[in-house]
Amino acid sequence: MTIDETLYDVAVVGYGPTGGVLANLLGLQGLKVAVIERTRSIYPKPRGIACYPEGWRIMQVAGVGKDYIPKSTTLGGGVYTGADGEPILKFDIPPPPYDQAWHPARSIIQTELEEDIRKGIPRFKDVKELLGYSVVGLDEKDDAVTLKLRVFNEEKNANETDGEISVRTKFVVGCDGGTSAVRKLIGVKMNSLGFDEWWAAIDAYVLRDDATNHLDPDMGYLYCNPKRPGLTFPCPRNIRRWEIKLLPGENPADFSDEENGPQRCLKLVEEFGTDLDSIKLWRAAVYQLHCLVADSFASKSMRVFIAGDAAHQMPPFMGQGLVSGVRDASFLAWRLAYYLKNQQSIPPNKSNVLASYEVELKPFMTHIVGVTKFLGNIIGELDLEKAQKRDFGMREAMKSEKPSSWEDRLPNLEGGLIALGSPGAGKNFVQPWVFTADGKREMMDDTLPHPARQSFLLVGSSVDAVTEWLNEDNSAFFEQIGAQKLVCLPKDAKDGFAGSVGGVPVVREEHEFLSNFLKEKGYASVAVVRPERSYCYGTAASADQLNDLVAGLKKMLV
Ligand SMILES: Cc1cc2nc3c(=O)[nH]c(=O)nc-3n(C[C@H](O)[C@H](O)[C@H](O)COP(=O)(O)OP(=O)(O)OC[C@H]3O[C@@H](n4cnc5c(N)ncnc54)[C@H](O)[C@@H]3O)c2cc1C
């Protein structure tokens, strides 16, 4: 066996979207990282077709995905239709101007976004890709973990025993998908929320305009038809995705059969009113969809974590799988860096910072997976009578409720590293468009120095609140943890827009998103934002409140 002599800080196992974003975020922190991936190429089958705002924002912090944005397309929204083919629910995905500056939900082709994520890696001399190796063994000791890797033969879909290497690392993150070897090696079980269905996913080029003449080209349709449930969404490059439930009695193996499977899948599309001469099949696959959440998100010693599909799986009805993996990556990257830079004198399982990864995300993900199951049961109902009752109930609700957006269904953080009791705690944090003193229009995060972005941020619309309110002790602590400060003046502010005050950068909001966020949180003047930048630690309306927030944070970061 060959031994890689390097002691890595983190070994990222699996180079899908979760592992790819994590490796970029860890690279930005200057850590020594090995990315271990079984296959030599990106998984080529149809998977993610929507990426949500939080995913774009995290990729913005990771410095990836930007080049892909012009290749992705906007999503107009969707319509659920009932057993009679008429609408039972509509949802919008708001067009610009967005309620925050990060990009709204966009249609993507996962394989192509993954290419873009991987393009970020050559920026880092200390991030090494080990492609074509499968993790087959894991030995956890107090100070490090040794991974056993085997050469993976893609054609045989098997590991080859004569090509083994071992890798030593301080931490391992298993981002190795639904069948995660890392999860199994640390003995973590998955809990099922009770959903196991076979669905076909079909990507086809639209050849003629009349191919989808019964469909609005910007819209998604979710056919809650008990005779054949399915859905279709537009994708970039004039491609359309169909996801179609296999019925009892249909054998999934017939649809995944290499020779005839793709054509059988394509034939299902005809059942939704599309003329097959007007589309051209690109690719198809059959998946068994599950609703699963891991019992634990880390090993007992907390030297090994799991993230993405390795930790939770859900059907794609809410478009949340990929973005949830990317969120996990953003929650873990700064925590690992924080531990390695500040806490190596204590064992990892004594670190509240590391322990809070599971505290925050297990309930959060259980909620999201539960919502996808709920949606899956709505779409996939096969009993006509139950479907008609469902349709009646949903039409009644549609009369009284405003059209909902998918993001309305996402939870807040309810525990972990947040200032419980503060109005902004655990809420999604806005990112306004701002003008810098030299007139440049930028997204707020882009005005801050790049690698330092995965740090806490004190931001507010009042110069005094940001620059004066922290007492000496808390200021020193803020400096010690590398936190940043930013004054973001309201859009109509005239004074004090000089570029910086006492070394703190000053920008001006283009709209009123930050001002409104703070106003809604008890007329707060400042927010302390967490290092992922997409969640708020807490908000304060006075110096005393802010000092209490930061004193609380100090206790939590042990
Ligand atoms: C039909 C369909 C539609 C979907 N639509 C959406 C959508 O619209 N939006 C959305 O957000 N999500 C969607 N998803 C979900 C999304 O595709 C997944 O959640 C996402 O790919 C998970 O990313 P990951 O990086 O965690 O895992 P994966 O992408 O599965 O990556 C895991 C990687 O680990 C590697 N690996 C496995 N075992 C080992 C080992 N032992 N050693 C080394 N490497 C290993 C694998 O080769 C793989 O590259 C969809 C999924 C499906 C099936």
Side-chain angles (χ1 to χ4, degrees):
M1 183 189 313
T2 319
I3 296 170
D4 183 340
E5 298 295 344
T6 318
L7 173 61
Y8 292 96
D9 290 315
V10 186
V12 175
V13 182
Y15 206 3
T18 307
V21 169
L22 180 61
N24 275 284
L25 290 171
L26 295 170
L28 281 174
Q29 296 275 9
L31 299 182
K32 229 179 233 321
V33 179
V35 194
I36 302 157
E37 167 56 49
R38 181 164 73 172
T39 60
R40 295 196 161 271
S41 47
I42 288 170
Y43 183 72
K45 301 260 169 80
R47 293 205 291 173
I49 51 161
C51 182
Y52 277 78
E54 197 180 338
W56 293 117
R57 184 163 190 184
I58 293 163
M59 287 191 273
Q60 181 192 351
V61 173
V64 295
K66 203 169 171 182
D67 291 345
Y68 187 72
I69 288 173
K71 298 177 201 156
S72 64
T73 46
T74 50
L75 273 171
V79 183
Y80 286 69
T81 54
D84 58 4
E86 296 300 317
I88 53 172
L89 176 80
K90 290 184 182 167
F91 61 88
D92 296 328
I93 294 171
Y98 323 122
D99 64 348
Q100 18 224 349
W102 66 53
H103 294 273
R106 293 183 75 86
S107 272
I108 56 153
I109 294 172
Q110 180 173 331
T111 32
E112 294 168 13
L113 177 61
E114 282 186 47
E115 278 170 25
D116 206 78
I117 293 171
R118 289 190 183 189
K119 277 187 202 149
I121 296 300
R123 289 177 293 172
F124 310 113
K125 69 172 182 22
D126 284 335
V127 180
K128 184 172 171 186
E129 292 175 340
L130 289 165
L131 302 183
Y133 289 98
S134 183
V135 168
V136 294
L138 182 153
D139 182 19
E140 229 177 324
K141 293 273 185 309
D142 284 350
D143 59 340
V145 183
T146 304
L147 290 175
K148 185 156 79 168
L149 318 186
R150 249 178 226 162
V151 169
F152 186 71
N153 184 328
E154 283 182 54
E155 273 161 31
K156 291 192 198 147
N157 204 22
N159 298 314
E160 293 187 342
T161 42
D162 56 351
E164 277 191 4
I165 58 171
S166 85
V167 166
R168 267 187 88 229
T169 174
K170 294 178 189 165
F171 286 99
V172 175
V173 185
C175 309
D176 47 347
T179 57
S180 174
V182 171
R183 186 185 67 230
K184 289 173 195 152
L185 288 164
I186 58 170
V188 168
K189 303 239 166 336
M190 294 301 258
N191 292 322
S192 173
L193 276 65
F195 184 97
D196 301 283
E197 292 186 0
W198 287 93
W199 283 65
I202 301 116
D203 286 338
Y205 296 96
V206 176
L207 298 176
R208 293 197 323 248
D209 285 347
D210 63 346
T212 53
N213 58 9
H214 56 299
L215 306 173
D216 177 331
D218 293 329
M219 294 291 281
Y221 294 86
L222 300 103
Y223 305 106
C224 310
N225 180 355
K227 285 192 190 137
R228 174 71 79 182
L231 57 89
T232 175
F233 272 86
C235 301
R237 298 202 283 109
N238 215 21
I239 287 162
R240 224 175 216 282
R241 160 71 56 83
W242 279 265
E243 288 169 14
I244 302 174
K245 177 164 165 162
L246 300 187
L247 299 177
E250 284 176 335
N251 182 0
D254 293 340
F255 294 86
S256 53
D257 164 72
E258 222 162 278
E259 207 182 326
N260 302 312
Q263 285 306 321
R264 285 196 183 116
C265 289
L266 183 65
K267 197 89 182 106
L268 296 174
V269 171
E270 217 172 13
E271 294 181 34
F272 296 88
T274 294
D275 169 8
L276 293 191
D277 288 339
S278 59
I279 57 175
K280 183 171 182 302
L281 179 67
W282 175 24
R283 55 189 187 170
V286 177
Y287 297 97
Q288 190 175 24
L289 306 176
H290 304 286
C291 283
L292 304 170
V293 181
D295 218 14
S296 170
F297 284 26
S299 64
K300 287 201 175 63
S301 74
M302 277 194 206
R303 289 226 173 254
V304 184
F305 291 85
I306 49 174
D309 273 17
H312 39 71
Q313 287 154 54
M314 67 198 89
F317 309 124
M318 216 180 152
Q320 283 295 315
L322 179 154
V323 74
S324 297
V326 167
R327 180 189 303 110
D328 294 352
S330 76
F331 275 46
L332 257 184
W334 75 265
R335 285 178 154 90
L336 292 171
Y338 185 88
Y339 175 88
L340 288 164
K341 287 172 193 166
N342 302 291
Q343 297 190 311
Q344 290 216 56
S345 57
I346 58 168
N349 56 8
K350 294 275 178 289
S351 161
N352 186 35
V353 174
L354 294 179
S356 56
Y357 169 66
E358 175 180 320
V359 172
E360 289 175 358
L361 285 175
K362 193 175 162 192
F364 189 94
M365 287 314 303
T366 305
H367 179 100
I368 290 184
V369 174
V371 176
T372 60
K373 176 185 166 182
F374 171 76
L375 294 176
N377 287 342
I378 288 182
I379 301 167
E381 180 58 67
L382 295 177
D383 181 294
L384 179 61
E385 215 172 295
K386 285 187 188 154
Q388 284 166 336
K389 263 197 199 146
R390 170 205 64 200
D391 294 352
F392 177 78
M394 288 179 69
R395 284 190 180 118
E396 286 302 299
M398 208 167 51
K399 284 182 201 157
S400 53
E401 284 171 20
K402 70 170 178 56
S404 63
S405 97
W406 282 353
E407 283 127 47
D408 293 343
R409 298 172 191 272
L410 297 180
N412 296 312
L413 295 179
E414 303 290 350
L417 299 182
I418 53 169
L420 279 174
S422 159
K427 304 275 186 307
N428 247 186
F429 189 68
V430 290
Q431 180 185 199
W433 284 103
V434 299
F435 292 108
T436 56
D438 54 8
K440 255 170 77 188
R441 178 179 180 268
E442 286 187 283
M443 289 189 193
M444 187 186 79
D445 283 355
D446 285 337
T447 65
L448 296 159
H450 206 291
R453 275 192 208 150
Q454 293 170 70
S455 60
F456 284 87
L457 170 71
L458 176 66
V459 59
S461 45
S462 136
V463 176
D464 281 359
V466 177
T467 60
E468 307 277 334
W469 279 7
L470 279 184
N471 63 31
E472 222 173 278
D473 263 11
N474 287 331
S475 274
F477 167 68
F478 240 53
E479 212 149 283
Q480 182 203 322
I481 61 168
Q484 295 188 298
K485 293 180 185 171
L486 180 72
V487 176
C488 185
L489 298 170
K491 75 177 213 194
D492 48 6
K494 301 215 167 33
D495 303 326
F497 190 43
S500 81
V501 178
V504 175
V506 181
V507 294
R508 185 162 50 81
E509 250 203 283
E510 184 182 23
H511 305 104
E512 295 183 307
F513 302 127
L514 178 64
S515 319
N516 286 339
F517 177 88
L518 293 171
K519 196 156 86 186
E520 285 159 15
K521 310 291 174 284
Y523 288 88
S525 302
V526 274
V528 177
V529 187
R530 296 172 21 129
E532 316 87 17
R533 293 292 149 84
S534 43
Y535 290 91
C536 183
Y537 165 74
T539 44
S542 67
D544 282 350
Q545 275 182 11
L546 178 62
N547 282 298
D548 283 351
L549 280 188
V550 176
L553 181 62
K554 213 191 284 187
K555 284 195 197 131
M556 285 181 192
L557 295 188
V558 290

